[in-house]
Amino acid sequence: MTQSTAPQSEHRTVLLRGGDVHSPADPFATAMVVERGHVAWVGSEGAADAFASGVDEVVDLEGALVTPAFTDAHVHTTATGLALTGLDLSGARTLAEALDAVRAYANAHPLPRVVLGHGWDATRWPEQRPPSRAELDGAAGGRAVYLPRIDVHSAVVTTALLDLVPGVRDLAGYHPDAPLTGAAHHAVRAAAHAAVTPAQRAEAQRAALARAASLGIGTVHECAGPEISDEDDFTGLLALAAERPGPRVFGYWADLIEDGKGAGRIRGLGAVGAAGDLFVDGSLGSHTACLHEPYADAPHTGTAHLDARQIAAHVTACTEAGLQAGFHAIGDAALTAVVAGVRAAADTLGLARVRAARHRVEHAEMLTPETVAAFAELGLTASVQPAFDAAWGGPDAMYARRLGAERAATLNPYAALLRAGVPLAFGSDSPVTPLDPWGTIRAAAFHRTLEHRVSVRAGFTAHTRGGWRAVGRDDAGVLVPGAPADYAVWSTGDLVVQAPDDRVARWSTDPRSGTPGLPDLTPGEALPVCLRTVVGGRTVHVRPNE
């Protein structure tokens, strides 16, 4: 990709030409004009000649694909950065490998005082168990170590870290030689994160945003809250993002509110909603998602953090204040509680007001036909993570072990949500699963349960326009005149139109369909490579040597 050497300025007019521009305004578009941070025109190569002499810069795409920049609708930015710059256990294939990695990292990094790691998943190890406290103490050499499970709903820690948290052994969720959950986990997490200096935190945030930009992500939804991080972390991230050209950051603060005063507190932090990871339950991997029937591999039904009454009060207060509400809910019992609570708020305020607020539910994995229909009725956005199915779906993986194959096969029913008219917003829950937008769309299009698959086009919309709609914006996430000039340029193979079902033609390159093509995401095919990411007309990433 080549461009002119015209002087750079914040509001320069740019013509991109000689590629493929993914736009509903023109399915055959090869060129686009950007002016004052917005898309000004999209059209054909021949028509582009009329603009060439009147712009400040001409970019020759050399056949590259231009798409809207992605929106990742669920990110933990600081934790993502710490995982990128710290101890990453996601690649450990065995318990022994994980312990060796802890030992090597602790020896190589005498500072900081607390070792932070991430990404272990014992369900992928042949031992099928987490490290014992004694094993972790030995590997850490006496250091304070905090290692959350990949879902971040439980953690293994060393004795040295427990000793930094007075009273932790008396808290709910403390286990002498098993991962900590609940209040005990929250306490040790707070102590571990308190050891991160402001400079380290800012470095981690910059690293996470840079990684997002390098993957064509122009916007992230930061899902923070008092049980996940702290206010300094949240406001620091928003301030850092405001000083940079991108990616954009929309912040959610997951604190339960009851009145206008609480809503004012949320707004005072700079949050766009009292939503994100406001926990109704936990996770399947940690046996803390709240179920109607017991787990297949544990004699209980998980943990409920909020009931329908509390949910109704929160949604009512948010709606009255013009603030978006939202919840983390994974298990079927948790999702039943969300639906009951939101419906109760609608009975009080009127369905139209509740629908207009576009409240959202994160994860929404264990849905039934009844809860899917309720999402559509109540106007709830499903903020979902298809990579969860890629990681843990299928008849022999974690979901099936936790729930049994029959219940596991009902998880993450994206096709049913789309058929019902439920708005979808795709994200990663990074660092739970990596920032990887094209991989996310692939996971949805090739869902491990065939009937839950969606088209690549539907997945792409959920990962672009869907994220903007989830924050109440209908004018972005698509390359049409007047839209924000948030776009990415990709090196990719042939563009196709893929369907999710083997009973129909899987893909077509016929331009007569009038449907803009997208990269072939068939498993095994190389994913597109991001050459450039632009946010509001300003370049935030350029691939080296491009």
Side-chain angles (χ1 to χ4, degrees), residues 111-202:
L111 294 175
R113 184 165 56 103
V114 177
V115 173
L116 301 176
H118 174 76
W120 64 269
D121 183 358
T123 67
R124 298 176 179 173
W125 297 342
E127 298 89 349
Q128 289 290 300
R129 69 171 181 85
S132 69
R133 186 153 300 139
E135 288 171 329
L136 194 56
D137 284 345
R143 298 280 297 280
V145 175
Y146 170 70
L147 301 179
R149 189 186 180 278
I150 191 169
D151 58 16
V152 203
H153 285 271
S154 60
V156 291
V157 302
T158 57
T159 302
L161 181 57
L162 290 174
D163 291 342
L164 297 177
V165 189
V168 67
R169 292 171 176 84
D170 298 323
L171 295 177
Y174 174 79
H175 308 284
D177 200 27
L180 306 184
T181 61
H185 176 218
H186 296 157
V188 297
R189 176 166 54 193
H193 286 179
V196 177
T197 68
Q200 289 172 320
R201 183 175 63 210

Side-chain angles (χ1 to χ4, degrees), residues 78 189-190 193 222-231 233-234 253:
T78 303
R189 176 166 54 193
H193 286 179
E222 165 67 13
C223 291
E227 293 187 350
I228 301 169
S229 54
D230 58 46
E231 292 185 4
D233 179 273
F234 183 67
W253 186 253

